Amino acid sequence: MALPNYRSDHQYENTTPKENLVSYQEYHASNYQQQQLREVLFFVNITIFAILTVFSAYIYLTLEIPIFIAFILATATGALGLKLVQFATKRQYQKFRKKKYGR
């Protein structure tokens, strides 16, 4: 049976903090095509590193270098080769921009 005129004497019911509304903005990529290009270049970098590592591991293993050392050298060679490819690509891109825009 319900009590008529029921008043709560407990303070916690009236003083519970209200949830704060989160103020944030939704993420919007500034340039969608540039974002896609960066994603593609990320996977191209992984592919280049993997191919260079496999080829260099094959070469080191055919030279009868111990397996553990050959794989460490192959990983280092793959990373170095990736950096060289990135450097050469960046340099070619700068030459292209200089030629195109006359800077």
Side-chain angles (χ1 to χ4, degrees), residues 8-36:
S8 174
D9 293 334
H10 300 290
Q11 284 289 6
Y12 68 88
E13 290 179 0
N14 297 330
T15 60
T16 54
K18 295 182 180 181
E19 292 182 19
N20 294 332
L21 295 176
V22 178
S23 60
Y24 62 90
Q25 283 184 314
E26 221 175 285
Y27 173 74
H28 296 287
S30 59
N31 189 350
Y32 184 70
Q33 290 178 346
Q34 185 179 11
Q35 187 70 21
Q36 283 185 329

